Amino acid sequence: RTVCLVTSGYHSRRTLGLFRKAFAGGPVVLLSDPALPDWEGHPWWSKDQGRLAVFNEYVKLSWTGLFGATY
């Protein structure tokens, strides 16, 4: 009855949106508990890995919003 989504914080919004669509109208409670990113302790913009992850997530979020889920 309850699903806890554990995923990286930078894509938890997209994941939660997809699961909300998948379980729409069902008796499931969705919770989100983002995991700490690999670059914890450093601002995401200070490392190539963080900048690339956030950029890619915005592309995926846009694509998913247009074609795959509602938020």
Side-chain angles (χ1 to χ4, degrees), residues 14 16-21 61 63-71:
R14 181 169 52 96
L16 188 58
L18 289 169
F19 272 76
R20 281 183 178 153
K21 183 175 183 181
L61 185 61
W63 184 267
T64 303
L66 290 170
F67 302 107
T70 57
Y71 298 105

Side-chain angles (χ1 to χ4, degrees), residues 9-45:
Y10 59 87
H11 68 252
S12 61
R13 179 180 177 191
R14 181 169 52 96
T15 303
L16 188 58
L18 289 169
F19 272 76
R20 281 183 178 153
K21 183 175 183 181
F23 290 106
V28 177
V29 176
L30 296 172
L31 305 172
S32 180
D33 188 15
L36 296 175
D38 294 340
W39 60 84
E40 186 63 27
H42 303 283
W44 64 265
W45 59 86

Side-chain angles (χ1 to χ4, degrees), residues 31-64:
L31 305 172
S32 180
D33 188 15
L36 296 175
D38 294 340
W39 60 84
E40 186 63 27
H42 303 283
W44 64 265
W45 59 86
S46 69
K47 296 190 179 250
D48 288 342
Q49 177 188 9
R51 289 190 296 268
L52 182 60
V54 171
F55 173 78
N56 285 337
E57 190 55 34
Y58 273 108
V59 170
K60 293 172 187 177
L61 185 61
S62 299
W63 184 267
T64 303

